[in-house]
Coordinates of all heavy atoms in Angstrom, one line a residue:
P19 N -10.2 58.3 -15.0 CA -10.4 57.4 -13.8 C -9.5 56.2 -13.9 O -9.3 55.6 -15.0 CB -11.9 57.1 -13.9 CG -12.5 58.1 -14.8 CD -11.4 58.5 -15.8
G36 N 7.6 48.9 -23.6 CA 6.8 48.4 -22.5 C 7.5 48.4 -21.1 O 7.0 47.8 -20.2
F43 N -0.5 61.8 -11.4 CA -1.4 60.9 -10.6 C -2.1 61.8 -9.6 O -1.5 62.5 -8.8 CB -0.5 59.9 -9.9 CG -1.2 58.7 -9.2 CD1 -2.5 58.3 -9.6 CD2 -0.5 57.9 -8.3 CE1 -3.1 57.2 -9.0 CE2 -1.1 56.8 -7.7 CZ -2.4 56.5 -8.0
H61 N 10.1 56.9 -9.5 CA 10.4 58.3 -9.1 C 9.1 59.0 -8.9 O 8.3 59.1 -9.8 CB 11.3 59.1 -10.2 CG 12.5 58.4 -10.5 ND1 13.7 58.6 -9.9 CD2 12.8 57.4 -11.4 CE1 14.7 57.9 -10.4 NE2 14.1 57.1 -11.3
G67 N -0.6 68.7 -2.4 CA -1.1 67.8 -1.5 C -0.1 67.1 -0.7 O 1.1 67.3 -0.9
E70 N 1.2 60.3 3.2 CA 1.9 59.7 4.3 C 2.4 58.3 3.9 O 1.6 57.5 3.4 CB 1.0 59.5 5.5 CG 1.7 58.8 6.7 CD 0.8 58.6 7.9 OE1 -0.4 58.8 7.7 OE2 1.3 58.2 8.9
L72 N 3.0 54.9 4.8 CA 2.5 54.1 6.0 C 3.5 53.3 6.7 O 3.4 53.0 7.9 CB 1.3 53.3 5.5 CG 0.1 54.1 5.0 CD1 -1.0 53.2 4.5 CD2 -0.4 55.1 6.1
G75 N 5.7 56.5 8.4 CA 5.0 57.7 9.0 C 5.4 59.0 8.4 O 4.9 60.0 8.8
G82 N 8.3 67.5 -2.5 CA 8.9 66.3 -2.0 C 9.1 65.3 -3.1 O 8.3 65.1 -3.9
Y83 N 10.3 64.6 -3.0 CA 10.6 63.6 -4.0 C 10.9 62.3 -3.3 O 11.6 62.3 -2.2 CB 11.8 64.0 -4.8 CG 12.5 63.0 -5.6 CD1 12.0 62.6 -6.8 CD2 13.7 62.3 -5.1 CE1 12.6 61.6 -7.6 CE2 14.3 61.3 -5.9 CZ 13.7 61.0 -7.1 OH 14.3 60.0 -7.9
P88 N 14.1 49.2 -7.3 CA 13.5 47.9 -7.6 C 13.4 47.0 -6.4 O 14.3 46.9 -5.6 CB 14.4 47.3 -8.7 CG 15.2 48.5 -9.2 CD 15.3 49.4 -8.1

Side-chain angles (χ1 to χ4, degrees):
F43 192 21
H61 303 267
E70 177 186 11
L72 296 176
Y83 167 78

